[in-house]
Amino acid sequence: MDALDGLRTRLVIEGGRRLEGVVDVPGAKNAALPIMAAAILAEGEVVLHNVPRITDVDVMAALLESLGARVREQAGGTLLIDTSAVASHPAPYALVSKLNASFDVAGPLLARFGRAEVPQPGGCVLGPRAIDMHLRGFELLGATVALEHGSIVASAPRLTGTTVTLAKPSVGATKNIMLAATRARGTTTIENAAQEPEVADLAGFINAMGGRVAGAGSPTIVVEGVTRLHGCEYTIIPDRLVAGTYLLGAAITAGDVTVRGIDPSMLDALTEKLAECGCRVAAEGVALRVVGIPEWRPADVVTAPYPGFPTDLQPPYVTYMSLAKGTALVEETIFDARFVYVSELARMGADVKVSGRSAVVQGVERLQDAVVEAPDIRAGGALVLAALAAEGTSEVGGLEYIDRGYEFFEERLASLGASIARTSVVSPVTPRIDIGLTAQLPKVVTPYRSA
Ligand code: EPU
């Protein structure tokens, strides 16, 4: 799908239906992307299972191919990546600029080839995406780091293990430093590391390739350098953020949804809040069920690094609070501009007052239908939830963002009882579209890169 398709295509959603049923959780985007980048370290073929079918994966696959890798898709979410022919070419700006996670290739390139040349990621709609801690980590490991014509060039004949203490637990810096350290001489300790499950999953993958990483998932990660990493087969963890979006969907439609295939403890910060609001939450094995109620209490939230409340669930949570019986205070501590979607939510009748990194959400009686545009991935999830709960038929655009992070979103929501269809908007004046008809239209399903 090109960007123009994203502008033409919308999700048409008839609100007011309860979400009900069981939904399988796809693989985690934020684990799949760094794991694909980490495949650069393998001298051999890597087989990855449970890779989500989203456009960010396509971009990472294209980036790996541009560096000389061979990426093939097998049915059912399996990718085969052979990086034996990869060399440390400059990573192309056209691809890196589409995906902040592209910078994840820097650590593996530096570790395997002693040199990485990757365009510096710019900002995104969420605010500046700084990489100073990644670069400081590379320097502490012994690399020379310079900015040359817009690209970061890091080089070192061989890195040497050291202790890196992060100023804050950055997910990206933890991953990149861990990756760079895999083949360093001696031991690297990362203090104040990010504890996100996706960081632990990346460590699991490195170990499956023959690396030696301990402590990932805790604030202290220890990496013993090895001389070589090999191919392996690995299954990516489920996406807790996608799962959380479906559970908030249950809550906001007073529905009853079970997400299947996920460790429920990964979503404790969310489910504690949902219980506070009055939802019934039940965890059993790898299934997590939320039963919503027609009138719910507000609960304040402060986003924080894992195991705190995830910043990525802040937009759908604010949407849920916009229909609560009372007022909730939501504070964002990770990204400068993560309330950017609020103006679109307001067009559906939400009452959210943003001041800097805080929002006061005054619950309203109802949300109304509107044509809205998603400005980023998770805000897209949030606007879809708003449309599911709103009166009337809404249209959510910005699918070029939603498709970056949500695999088969409308199919899964439809299986839970949502009235939702993807359709093209043919005229500048958005026509009212009959849901029954548009449901018959062929779906735009995003494939991986062709084999
Ligand atoms: N930061 C710095 N310096 C650094 C690194 C980060 O100042 O060297 C700042 C960033 O500017 C940002 C904050 O620290 O304000 C958080 O950055 P972090 O490195 O923790 O996040 P990230 O690796 O850029 C990942 C996810 C995000 C998710 C955040 C927080 C991926 C591909 N992305 O980003 O996911 O919100 O962690 O959990 O893993 C999404 O999925 O839509 C998404 C944005």
Side-chain angles (χ1 to χ4, degrees):
M1 193 180 82
D2 64 26
L4 208 58
D5 284 335
L7 291 174
R8 280 194 294 259
T9 314
R10 294 181 186 280
L11 291 176
V12 182
I13 299 168
E14 193 184 300
R17 300 194 185 188
R18 291 180 79 220
L19 294 188
E20 229 172 337
V22 180
V23 67
D24 287 316
V25 183
K29 167 177 88 69
N30 293 348
L33 297 175
I35 285 174
M36 288 173 72
I40 290 173
L41 289 163
E43 291 171 43
E45 189 174 64
V46 163
V47 181
L48 296 179
H49 301 294
N50 207 28
V51 181
R53 272 145 296 182
I54 51 175
T55 54
D56 271 8
V57 163
D58 296 345
V59 176
M60 183 58 87
L63 176 57
L64 293 178
E65 285 179 336
S66 75
L67 295 169
R70 190 155 174 251
V71 183
R72 285 171 300 141
E73 181 196 353
Q74 278 185 348
T78 294
L79 277 190
L80 281 66
I81 306 177
D82 185 346
T83 56
S84 33
V86 167
S88 185
H89 304 298
Y93 176 73
L95 292 170
V96 173
S97 60
K98 286 187 176 175
L99 183 65
N100 272 288
S102 298
F103 201 69
D104 289 351
V105 300
L109 287 173
L110 182 60
R112 183 165 163 196
F113 302 105
R115 180 181 165 89
E117 187 173 338
V118 185
Q120 172 152 7
C124 72
V125 71
L126 304 179
R129 305 289 288 263
I131 51 165
D132 52 305
M133 289 186 275
H134 304 227
L135 304 185
R136 183 72 190 127
F138 294 163
E139 281 174 343
L140 288 169
L141 285 163
T144 306
V145 177
L147 176 67
E148 290 178 15
H149 315 292
S151 287
I152 298 296
V153 180
S155 57
R158 177 129 194 231
L159 300 170
T160 305
T162 186
T163 295
V164 179
T165 303
L166 297 179
K168 58 182 172 184
S170 152
V171 173
T174 302
K175 290 186 300 195
N176 241 334
I177 295 165
M178 191 163 82
L179 288 163
T182 50
R183 290 170 56 131
R185 196 182 295 116
T187 304
T188 299
T189 304
I190 309 172
E191 304 277 13
N192 198 25
Q195 300 175 59
E196 269 69 0
E198 295 77 21
V199 171
D201 204 35
L202 174 61
F205 174 67
I206 294 171
N207 290 342
M209 290 190 292
R212 297 186 62 193
V213 182
S218 82
T220 304
I221 298 178
V222 179
V223 186
E224 300 277 350
V226 297
T227 49
R228 208 170 165 274
L229 291 124
H230 51 71
C232 69
E233 193 164 346
Y234 195 75
T235 301
I236 286 159
I237 56 166
D239 199 312
R240 65 196 162 94
L241 307 168
V242 169
T245 306
Y246 289 116
L247 295 178
L248 280 157
I252 200 169
T253 62
D256 179 354
V257 170
T258 301
V259 291
R260 196 167 53 187
I262 189 154
D263 172 357
S265 69
M266 285 185 194
L267 281 158
D268 279 352
L270 171 68
T271 49
E272 278 164 21
K273 287 294 161 189
L274 292 180
E276 217 176 303
C277 296
C279 294
R280 192 150 64 78
V281 178
E284 200 185 314
V286 291
L288 183 55
R289 179 179 179 191
V290 166
V291 184
I293 51 171
E295 298 197 339
W296 53 90
R297 292 184 289 274
D300 297 347
V301 149
V302 181
T303 64
Y306 190 84
F309 193 96
T311 172
D312 299 271
L313 290 179
Q314 178 260 101
Y317 185 79
V318 164
T319 305
Y320 178 49
M321 285 302 96
S322 73
L323 285 167
K325 295 284 161 209
T327 308
L329 185 64
V330 177
E331 202 184 321
E332 170 62 46
T333 70
I334 310 292
F335 287 108
D336 288 334
R338 201 145 211 174
F339 287 120
V340 71
Y341 65 93
V342 158
S343 51
E344 290 298 279
L345 201 56
R347 297 182 53 246
M348 300 181 76
D351 180 354
V352 184
K353 291 189 178 55
V354 177
S355 167
R357 284 181 165 209
S358 299
V360 178
V361 192
Q362 173 65 56
V364 294
E365 279 299 310
R366 63 187 71 82
L367 294 177
Q368 51 178 277
D369 62 294
V371 178
V372 289
E373 196 70 19
D376 68 82
I377 302 174
R378 309 300 169 189
L383 292 169
V384 167
L385 295 194
L388 289 170
E391 292 174 343
T393 301
S394 299
E395 295 179 22
V396 182
L399 299 196
E400 69 274 27
Y401 293 109
I402 294 176
D403 290 338
R404 288 182 54 188
Y406 288 97
E407 180 194 85
F408 301 140
F409 202 25
E410 65 265 29
E411 287 84 349
R412 283 192 168 92
L413 287 169
S415 79
L416 295 172
S419 175
I420 180 167
R422 181 178 295 234
T423 188
S424 294
V425 176
V426 286
S427 82
V429 179
T430 308
R432 187 61 61 215
I433 294 163
D434 177 82
I435 284 286
L437 264 182
T438 54
Q440 309 302 317
L441 292 174
K443 299 261 160 48
V444 179
V445 174
T446 308
Y448 292 127
R449 304 269 308 158
S450 50

